[in-house]
Structures are given as structure tokens and as C-alpha cells.
Amino acid sequence: MPGSDSTAHRSKSRRPKYSQFSQQELPAFKLILTPGYVISTFIVVGLIFVPIGLISLFASETVVEIVDQYDNECIPKDFRDNKVEFIKNKQTNKSCTRTFTVPKQMKSPIFIYYQLENFYQNHRRYVKSRSDKQLQSKKNAAHIRECKPMGETDNKDPIIPCGLIAWSLFNDTYGFSVKGKDLKVNKRDIAWGSDKNYKFGADVFPKNFQVGDVGGKSLNSSIPLSEQEDLIVWMRTAALSTFRKLYGKIEDDLQANDVITVVVENNYNTYDFKGTKSLVLSTTSWIGGKNDFLGVTFITIGGICLFLAITFILLYVIKPRPLGDPSYLSWNRNSTPTPGR
Amino acid sequence: MIQEADIGIGISGVEGMQAVMASDFSIAQFRFLERLLVVHGHWCYKRIAQMICYFFYKNIAFGLTLFYFEAFASFSGQSVYNDWYMLSFNVVLTALPVISLGVFEQDVSSEICLQFPALYQQGPRNLFFDWYRIFGWIGNGIYSSITIFTLIMAIFHDQAFRAGGQTADMAVVGATMFTSIIWVVNVQIALTISHFTWIQHLFIWGSIAAWYVFLLLFGMTSPSTSGYAHHILVEALAPAPMFWLATIVVTVACNLLYFTYVAYQRCFKPMDHHVIQEIKYYKKDVEDRHMWTRERSKARQETKIGFTARVEAKMRQLKVRLHRKTSSLALQNVLSPS
């Protein structure tokens, strides 16, 4: 029948509306690792890493570092068999003099660290044993829940600052002199600014600190916690059992072959747990202290990349595979047809 | 039958919706079955296989670093990362790239899937989820975790990490190690994905950026929430070149292994979809149409099982016999004209 009214009866199409997203046809970049890209990536990475490694290594080499372990030598010979008793005895003379020579010129500021070994500041119960709320503000003085066993005195009076971390505060002191002249040690600005300004309150004063069993340094109860920089530095728990913490800065230059005399007050008891104590003087570079590892790693990775680039170039020259060659398709590679699957 | 099968497909139609209700997938017309199998089935298999392998890798790389740290913390159970970092790892920072891998990844476009049905065979032959691959990814995760941990620990050893003389405490080491992990796993997924739309770029690079933003915002909360992460990015980490350099070297060191493996496989032992991707990339299908048509026809294998196949095989057999009979008859006629 000519002129049928098919348009009136055409059923509505139920095809869903087309969109690139729903049909998964979004414009895309296909990452295809051709030999050109691979080799150039290796070369670029190698050429960037090796110079960075050399610069880092050079920076680390310019750092001058003096490490002096004194915990053994600073015990008088009579007490060498009984170190723990020596250190715990309040009557013994803990002063000890150490001397060492500066190997190369050290430009100021020279940083003084104390280094402890076999001291696990990263033990879970040690890390937990503090009260951040109490440190922050005077009104939280009674927040001592996490601090047990160093939370309160026998009279149930809260200790400020409470907890094992504060109680075990390092208390050796060092006095430096060179050529008979005392070197001034700047003990300000050794802690992080955010700690001094936000975490340790200016209205919190030490109370009942080290009254029972003495674990470390006592604190002057008229100085607020925000200015007790030794405590602030100590309370940032270290990641490993061998660590250094900043003690102070010397703001004079030291020349090569200068003989430094240090008067050490050997107070801190590391002998109970066979820990060691060392004194470290170090300059810094733009990258920090002396550690060749970063530079060596960069050079190694860069070197590996360049080696891989050369290997790929050789492999590609010896056994090239033409790209897009259909003879590498699996149904062309098997010359005998596999019996039906 | 639909219930018994591994995957049951029901077709909704004039006979009602019973099949649809009993099935795992349902389609509207029988002709959609081809697309369902050859395009979506193929993509789905690869997406799921890659996603599962990557997910194991990511969590192994992250979780094992925690275990290694225990060896240095006298096995006391202290975690080197802040709790908030660990919470956000699987939820915020590495979830979206995995979703984009599992939902959007395509090795070849849908036209190629339809033109080369043989690519579907990668599924039944289980080329992407065999034990070699699974253990390979797990091994990659173990290697990454060892590399991240040893490099970061050795770089931040005990010396100062900044020109200001400050030494690295657990918060600094933890934040740097976590930053490295985020970079490593996200660059890894960027190397796994072959089909990059704006969604993948947003998710992957956005996740890495989200980590820095998270660390920044977390550091701005009160010290009773953020603890030692308070202002850590702004004050301690960002101004320290060691932080950025350590992240870069760890990322490259961890991903170098996978990159080399993939590069070697692609260049010298390519799989079918790699070759086809290259043919499309270098436009060889346009240059050499004859080769393209020939390969396409080779990729469509005649069916060898089922009723139709048996009928056709029987027909071929009869044809051969008929041909032999007629040729022997013709020979007889030629030899003895009687």
C-alpha cells in the first residue's frame, strides 16, 4: 500500500542516549612503551640522577664531623667494673675531660649533638607515655592518663611534665674551650618553632618533677615549658635506637688542627642497658649532615638506568623486533595449527 | 541452566523476564551477546585480574614497611606512621586509581575486540591471573617495601637532615616514608594502566596531590589531634631538600624493576594485544589493508564444537567422499571405455 503511515506507527527507540562516558569512548592517551620511549626514559633518568648524586655526595663530603664516644672513658678506672653503681652514686665526681683535634676548618654554625645508641625511644609504651594536653596548657595539668607510671607522685599530685619520655631527659652537659678560651654554646632555637609555640605552653611550669626516682635531668620550675628547649628536643622521639639530638650551636669558626677541650658531666645512666653515649660536632651543608648514602643511591640508580639503556640498545640492535609486525601474533607464531581447543 | 553456569546470561524478550531474573547478566537482544562476550567479557577479565593483583601489591608494599620497622622498635608494636595516615591510605589516597583501573581500563578499543575475537581467548587461557602473575605482583610488593624502608632509613640515618642542623625524629621519618609509598604505588598504577583518559589522570595525580593537601591540612589542626604532624609539612619537610630528593630516588628505585620487566616484555616478547596496539599506533592497518584483513580473518576461528560444527564436519566428509567417488568413476570411464 503506497504512502503507508509508517512514520505515525514507528515505535520509540529504546536505545540509551549516547555519551562518550557511558560508551567508554572517552578520548584517551594510550601508553605504549616502544623501544624509543624506553631507551630515552632510561637515558633521561640516568642523566638527571647521576649529577644530582654527585652534587649530594660532594655536599656530604664538605661536612666536617667529629664523633667522640666518651661513656667508657669517662668512668674512672676504679669503677670500670661497676659502672652502674658509679653513675647512680650521687657523691661521685662525674666530671670528665675529653680532648680532640679538629681535622678540617669548620665554619659556624657548628652543631653539637649528643648521640645515644641502644636507646629505644621508639618503643610503643615509651612513645605513649606522655600527655600532650598537659604540655599544652596549665588547665590540663590533671591529664595524666597515658603517663603511668610517671603520672603522679605518691600523694596523687600530678607530675608536670608527666610520662617516661620527660622523666628520662638526658642530663649530660658539655663545656667547650679551645686554646684556653671558652667557647660559647648557644642553646636557643634548637627546638622546632611549632613545638615551642603550640605544643609546649608558656603557662605550664614544671612541678613535682624528678621528686622520686630520678631518671634524668631536673627542670627549673620557674622557666615555662615553652622555653625548656632541651626538654622539647628530647621529647621528639627518635625513629631508631641510634640517634642524635641537638644540644646547642657554636657560633664561631674552628680552624684545622685546633685542639678542643670538653668538660663532660657524665650524669646520664646508659650503663644499665648497655647503651653508649657520644658527643658529636658537625657542620651542615644545604642537604644536612654527613651522609653519603643519598648521593651514592642517586649515582647507583642513575648508573643502573644508563646501563639498562645501553643493554636495551644492544638487544635492539642485535635482535630487533619490527614494531607492529603481525608475524608476532600468537596465531601466526604457531606454524602448526593446534588441535581444536 | 542459567543458574548452573559460571556466568548465566538471560535475554529479555517476548517470553517474559524469567531468564533475566535468574541470570548474572541480561541483554535485550540475542545479537548483543557478541558484544557482551568479546568486548565486555574481554575487558572485564583483564580489569579484574589486574585490579586484584595491583591491590595485593599496594597493601603488601605498605603493610610490610610497618613490619620492618618493628624489628627496629624492639617489636613493641609501635607504628612508624601516624594513625591518620594509615586510615586514609586505603580509603582516600589509593582507592580512586584502583577504581579507575577496574572500571575504565581498555587494552584495545571495542572495534578491535570485535574484529579480533581471538583476543577473547586470553581469558579462557587465563593468561592474566595465573600463579606466575600473582606471585610476580606479590614479589614486586615485597621488593618495593624493602626498597622503601631501607632507603628511607639509611638516608635519614642519624645525621641532620636540614641545613638548620635538626635531626629526623619518628614523625619526620614516618611522613617521608609514607610520602614515598604514595608516590610508588601511584606511579606503579600509572605504569599498569595503558588507557589514559582525563579520569585516570585526575585520580592518579589527584591522589598524590591529595596526600600533600591532607598532610598540610592535618598539620594545621590542633596539636592534640595531629601530635607531631603539627605543621610538619610546612615547617620541617617542605624546606628540606632531603625530603624531596629521598621521595624521588625511592620512587624511581621501586618502579624501575617493573618498568624494566614491562619494557622487556613489550619489546621482545609481545603479547597479541601489544602487537595490535602497535599496529594501530603506527597506523599500519591503514597502510597495509590487506595484512589487516588477513589477520582479522585469521582471528576468527571456525567453531569446532557443537551441533553446527558436527553438521558442517559431516558435510565436509561427505563432500570429500563424493569428490573421490566421482574422480574414481571418471578414471574408470577413461581407462575402460565400455
Side-chain angles (χ1 to χ4, degrees):
Chain A
M1 178 158 57
S4 64
D5 50 343
S6 54
T7 44
H9 285 293
R10 181 162 306 152
S11 54
K12 271 211 232 135
S13 165
R14 293 166 79 180
R15 188 191 208 111
K17 190 155 166 287
Y18 173 84
S19 86
Q20 277 185 325
F21 176 76
S22 64
Q23 293 300 316
Q24 302 186 56
E25 283 170 5
L26 286 167
F29 162 71
K30 280 206 120 30
L31 180 70
I32 296 187
L33 287 175
T34 60
Y37 281 138
V38 167
I39 292 171
S40 41
T41 308
F42 280 137
I43 291 180
V44 162
V45 169
L47 288 180
I48 292 178
F49 272 29
V50 171
I52 294 180
L54 288 169
I55 295 172
S56 307
L57 200 57
F58 178 70
S60 171
E61 293 299 311
T62 58
V63 168
V64 187
E65 193 185 69
I66 305 170
V67 180
D68 176 46
Q69 187 180 340
Y70 63 84
D71 60 318
N72 243 350
E73 272 77 37
C74 273
I75 304 268
K77 286 201 172 57
D78 330 339
F79 288 94
R80 288 279 166 89
D81 294 325
N82 227 332
K83 296 183 192 154
V84 179
E85 228 194 72
F86 169 78
I87 205 82
K88 280 194 172 162
N89 192 333
K90 289 196 179 35
Q91 262 82 44
T92 49
N93 179 14
K94 306 275 187 352
S95 274
C96 144
T97 312
R98 307 281 300 153
T99 48
F100 38 79
T101 323
V102 176
K104 274 189 338 188
Q105 189 203 29
M106 294 173 85
K107 283 192 165 304
S108 91
I110 302 171
F111 297 94
I112 305 164
Y113 304 93
Y114 50 90
Q115 176 175 316
L116 289 163
E117 285 172 44
N118 205 31
F119 190 114
Y120 285 84
Q121 268 204 330
N122 55 15
H123 193 287
R124 186 180 57 91
R125 296 185 62 187
Y126 184 89
V127 172
K128 215 168 68 124
S129 180
R130 61 187 294 145
S131 169
D132 286 331
K133 281 197 152 76
Q134 193 197 60
L135 297 169
Q136 245 185 318
S137 155
K138 193 168 66 170
K139 58 179 163 45
N140 295 326
H143 264 267
I144 52 161
R145 196 165 40 97
E146 298 283 307
C147 288
K148 292 191 182 41
M150 280 294 150
E152 51 193 10
T153 60
D154 295 329
N155 305 336
K156 302 277 186 272
D157 211 13
I159 299 175
I160 304 172
C162 71
L164 285 172
I165 309 181
W167 175 80
S168 59
L169 178 56
F170 189 74
N171 58 1
D172 284 5
T173 56
Y174 312 108
F176 296 85
S177 58
V178 68
K179 293 200 199 43
K181 207 166 55 103
D182 279 338
L183 281 172
K184 187 167 147 350
V185 174
N186 181 0
K187 285 180 72 74
R188 298 213 65 89
D189 291 328
I190 54 176
W192 291 107
S194 64
D195 284 356
K196 287 194 292 188
N197 296 332
Y198 301 103
K199 290 179 73 62
F200 290 79
D203 59 349
V204 185
F205 292 86
K207 200 169 86 129
N208 295 330
F209 193 62
Q210 310 278 21
V211 287
D213 200 9
V214 174
K217 188 166 149 168
S218 318
L219 293 174
N220 186 337
S221 41
S222 51
I223 302 179
L225 289 191
S226 60
E227 288 169 39
Q228 304 262 20
E229 298 212 29
D230 278 329
L231 175 73
I232 298 176
V233 168
W234 178 256
M235 288 199 74
R236 278 204 93 114
T237 50
L240 293 171
S241 62
T242 302
F243 60 89
R244 292 180 191 172
K245 287 198 183 288
L246 193 54
Y247 176 84
K249 303 180 232 193
I250 295 177
E251 267 139 5
D252 304 305
D253 289 351
L254 291 175
Q255 307 306 325
N257 298 322
D258 276 353
V259 176
I260 314 241
T261 312
V262 188
V263 174
V264 176
E265 289 296 319
N266 184 17
N267 297 316
Y268 199 64
N269 181 8
T270 52
Y271 305 97
D272 254 332
F273 53 86
K274 299 199 185 40
T276 68
K277 295 187 282 188
S278 315
L279 174 63
V280 178
L281 272 86
S282 171
T283 54
T284 55
S285 63
W286 62 271
I287 208 175
K290 192 176 196 66
N291 189 349
D292 294 342
F293 193 80
L294 185 68
V296 167
T297 310
F298 264 100
I299 294 175
T300 313
I301 301 288
I304 291 177
C305 284
L306 290 173
F307 168 75
L308 284 169
I310 295 174
T311 313
F312 266 87
I313 292 176
L314 282 175
L315 275 174
Y316 206 70
V317 159
I318 296 174
K319 244 175 48 168
R321 175 180 77 84
L323 294 168
D325 184 1
S327 60
Y328 280 87
L329 292 164
S330 60
W331 50 85
N332 291 331
R333 260 187 289 172
N334 307 328
S335 45
T336 54
T338 47
R341 207 188 151 80
Chain B
M1 242 168 28
I2 293 178
Q3 302 262 317
E4 286 297 314
D6 288 336
I7 297 183
I9 301 170
I11 303 177
S12 68
V14 285
E15 278 152 24
M17 305 294 268
Q18 271 185 335
V20 167
M21 287 191 287
S23 63
D24 301 306
F25 291 92
S26 73
I27 47 182
Q29 300 180 18
F30 189 80
R31 65 189 172 99
F32 294 157
L33 188 65
E34 180 189 23
R35 236 190 124 81
L36 179 69
L37 234 55
V38 160
V39 176
H40 295 284
H42 173 225
W43 282 349
C44 214
Y45 167 72
K46 286 196 136 167
R47 284 169 183 168
I48 292 180
Q50 286 181 318
M51 192 193 80
I52 293 176
C53 289
Y54 172 78
F55 210 90
F56 272 104
Y57 156 84
K58 163 173 78 101
N59 281 296
I60 287 174
F62 165 65
L64 283 185
T65 53
L66 281 168
F67 279 108
Y68 302 147
F69 185 71
E70 291 315 310
F72 292 85
S74 66
F75 294 100
S76 60
Q78 173 64 37
S79 105
V80 65
Y81 309 119
N82 191 305
D83 289 334
W84 286 91
Y85 305 169
M86 297 198 282
L87 276 173
S88 59
F89 181 75
N90 267 324
V91 172
V92 172
L93 297 171
T94 54
L96 293 175
V98 191
I99 291 176
S100 75
L101 171 66
V103 174
F104 296 112
E105 170 70 353
Q106 297 174 14
D107 53 342
V108 286
S109 68
S110 53
E111 293 102 43
I112 307 257
C113 288
L114 290 166
Q115 288 167 346
F116 286 86
L119 286 177
Y120 178 76
Q121 283 293 314
Q122 290 178 334
R125 271 194 255 152
N126 199 17
L127 294 179
F128 282 86
F129 204 59
D130 53 349
W131 282 112
Y132 286 123
R133 258 192 211 242
I134 296 173
F135 281 128
W137 276 102
I138 291 177
N140 191 11
I142 295 175
Y143 163 76
S144 295
S145 66
I146 293 176
T147 310
I148 293 170
F149 185 78
T150 35
L151 287 185
I152 296 285
M153 280 302 177
I155 289 173
F156 283 93
H157 191 216
D158 49 10
Q159 83 292 354
F161 74 103
R162 290 168 49 126
Q166 296 94 337
T167 51
D169 62 308
M170 199 157 61
V172 164
V173 170
T176 312
M177 212 187 297
F178 200 79
T179 311
S180 313
I181 291 181
I182 298 292
W183 268 100
V184 166
V185 300
N186 280 315
V187 170
Q188 174 68 63
I189 204 173
L191 288 175
T192 311
I193 290 178
S194 66
H195 182 84
F196 276 93
T197 61
W198 63 267
I199 298 176
Q200 271 89 332
H201 282 301
L202 175 70
F203 283 176
I204 296 175
W205 314 121
S207 293
I208 298 178
W211 160 244
Y212 287 106
V213 168
F214 170 83
L215 194 56
L216 184 70
L217 294 177
F218 185 59
M220 295 208 266
T221 58
S222 139
S224 42
T225 323
S226 51
Y228 274 131
H230 185 72
H231 287 171
I232 197 172
L233 182 65
V234 175
E235 184 185 30
L237 294 176
M242 187 86 108
F243 170 67
W244 303 101
L245 290 176
T247 313
I248 292 173
V249 78
V250 168
T251 308
V252 172
C254 289
N255 286 311
L256 197 61
L257 188 69
Y258 179 78
F259 184 77
T260 313
Y261 167 75
V262 159
Y264 176 75
Q265 190 203 32
R266 249 192 185 280
C267 290
F268 300 103
K269 288 184 163 45
M271 301 180 85
D272 288 337
H273 62 287
H274 294 148
V275 180
I276 294 174
Q277 277 173 343
E278 281 167 18
I279 295 178
K280 291 294 282 183
Y281 179 72
Y282 287 109
K283 303 220 182 334
K284 290 235 170 91
D285 58 327
V286 175
E287 284 171 20
D288 190 352
R289 285 202 176 279
H290 182 67
M291 174 273 293
W292 189 240
T293 326
R294 186 190 67 220
E295 294 308 328
R296 278 166 50 191
S297 65
K298 277 201 233 170
R300 305 182 95 93
Q301 233 180 7
E302 302 240 322
T303 178
K304 293 188 174 73
I305 56 171
F307 179 73
T308 317
R310 286 202 294 275
V311 163
E312 282 179 5
K314 194 80 187 167
M315 279 170 53
R316 259 179 294 172
Q317 226 184 359
L318 292 171
K319 264 198 206 143
V320 163
R321 255 192 243 157
L322 186 65
H323 181 79
R324 254 191 247 144
K325 236 189 204 147
T326 48
S327 60
S328 67
L329 271 173
L331 202 60
Q332 272 184 343
N333 277 342
V334 163
L335 290 175
S336 54
S338 56

